[in-house]
Amino acid sequence: MSQSTREAASAQGTLVASVQMEPRIGEKAENVAHSIRLIEEAAAAGAMLVVLPELANTGYVFESREEALELAEPVPEGETSCAWIDAARSLGIYVAAGIAEREGSRLYNSALLVGPDGYIGTYRKLHLWNEENRIFERGNLGLPVFETSIGKLAIAICYDGWFPEVYRLQSAKGADIICVPTNWVPMPGQPEQSAAMANILTVAAAHSNGVSIVCANRIGVERTQPFIGQSLIVGAQGWPLAGPASPDQEEILYARINVEQSRKSRRLNAFNEVLSDRRDDVYDLMLGTGWPVPLR
């Protein structure tokens, strides 16, 4: 890509990529190698931010806590973290990816954010889904928002998206783009032709909080558990920018996100702005966390 082409693309916004892939349970080295190939493919297409699925290095359906403990790694010094850090550094991009994290005897369903300068930070899933409650501890790092050269980035994982408080607090802390590594599964009672519940929730969250959301789901069936694919990228006005992806094929979705335009789009008309309209005389803007509201 020539310098002039790169500058023109930058003016249009940052190219982001959602990588929909199929990790294999327990095949960590193969999963990481495959993820690196997909990261490189996205970077070659011009992506500056690449999001991988939840537990992208290990697979999802652990038979026991002991199996998960054997596969989990410390972050960021573990081999998977180091591989993703090296890829981000060499390609000059940002990567958000789900990982099974071990901290001593404790296990977390986590995601790390890495960039051109190396490791940036970790998010630990707050809301555990189903059998995850037998495997992992609940996240204890809150909802960090990370300053980067492409905007303020935050992370949520899968079932976190069912809780409006997650996206609300991240947007209140200044997030521009929320990366969602996920392993969405079928929801009970879904009508045959209906959009995935996860997609509906994502669109609503993006619109009501004025944030862009990049969701990377996995595909396949693992130990009888099916996954639904349908990854998507939603802009800050709530309209899908790319996807939903296929329910059963690996693919990479791309979209451009202009952070400055996204921030302006929070103003819906001359009178209304989705963040400043909040009624702090009725409810606490930071939902009782005690976190300060950042200056904008």
Side-chain angles (χ1 to χ4, degrees):
M1 185 183 293
S2 68
Q3 181 64 27
S4 59
T5 303
R6 189 174 283 112
E7 289 173 355
S10 177
Q12 295 169 7
T14 299
L15 190 69
V16 303
S18 166
V19 173
Q20 180 166 290
M21 59 180 285
E22 183 178 6
R24 307 282 184 174
I25 188 71
E27 298 180 10
K28 193 161 61 173
E30 294 83 355
N31 292 336
V32 173
H34 185 42
S35 75
I36 297 293
R37 290 192 292 271
L38 294 169
I39 290 169
E40 290 172 342
E41 179 181 340
M48 283 298 298
L49 170 64
V50 179
V51 182
L52 300 179
E54 179 180 7
L55 298 174
N57 67 327
T58 60
Y60 180 83
V61 186
F62 302 111
E63 289 183 334
S64 65
R65 182 178 170 90
E66 290 68 32
E67 181 185 34
L69 191 61
E70 181 68 24
L71 290 167
E73 303 174 17
V75 174
E77 60 268 30
E79 57 187 356
T80 297
S81 298
C82 289
W84 286 335
I85 289 168
D86 289 346
R89 275 182 171 149
S90 65
L91 296 167
I93 65 170
Y94 295 90
V95 177
I99 187 171
E101 180 189 6
R102 183 178 71 242
E103 185 183 58
S105 62
R106 299 174 71 81
L107 289 173
Y108 297 97
N109 184 339
S110 298
L112 76 162
L113 179 66
V114 299
D117 296 322
Y119 171 73
I120 297 171
T122 300
Y123 169 76
R124 292 172 175 167
K125 188 175 184 179
L126 295 181
H127 305 92
L128 301 180
W129 172 259
N130 202 0
E131 294 293 313
E132 289 177 40
N133 287 278
R134 296 192 306 108
I135 306 294
F136 297 108
E137 274 73 38
R138 292 187 295 176
N140 60 358
L141 297 180
L143 292 162
V145 174
F146 305 102
E147 293 266 7
T148 77
S149 65
I150 60 172
K152 296 180 180 181
L153 306 183
I155 301 173
I157 299 176
C158 199
Y159 187 44
D160 286 329
W162 267 246
F163 298 86
E165 298 86 350
V166 170
Y167 294 124
R168 174 59 78 190
L169 285 168
Q170 289 171 326
S171 66
K173 292 177 75 174
D176 296 303
I177 302 173
I178 300 175
C179 307
V180 183
T182 187
N183 281 178
W184 290 328
V185 299
M187 287 290 102
Q190 178 174 334
E192 189 170 330
Q193 300 303 319
S194 174
M197 180 60 70
N199 290 8
I200 295 170
L201 291 169
T202 300
V203 165
H207 176 72
S208 61
N209 292 290
V211 293
S212 300
I213 305 178
V214 183
C215 301
N217 196 21
R218 62 160 293 169
I219 57 166
V221 177
E222 188 173 274
R223 291 176 174 166
T224 74
Q225 174 63 64
F227 299 90
I228 66 170
Q230 301 179 61
S231 302
L232 81 164
I233 302 172
V234 181
Q237 291 180 308
W239 303 114
L241 302 177
S246 160
D248 56 9
Q249 299 294 318
E250 290 197 333
E251 59 183 289
I252 303 177
L253 299 178
Y254 298 97
R256 288 202 176 274
I257 295 174
N258 186 308
V259 167
E260 291 303 321
Q261 289 182 4
S262 296
R263 291 170 181 169
K264 292 176 182 176
S265 74
R266 292 169 183 157
R267 176 156 296 284
L268 305 179
N269 55 52
F271 296 95
N272 299 113
E273 200 267 2
V274 293
L275 296 183
S276 62
D277 281 348
R278 291 171 297 158
R279 289 285 302 275
D280 60 357
D281 60 323
V282 176
Y283 49 79
D284 177 7
L285 292 184
M286 301 306 288
L287 305 182
T289 61
W291 298 336
V293 180
L295 297 174
R296 292 182 173 274

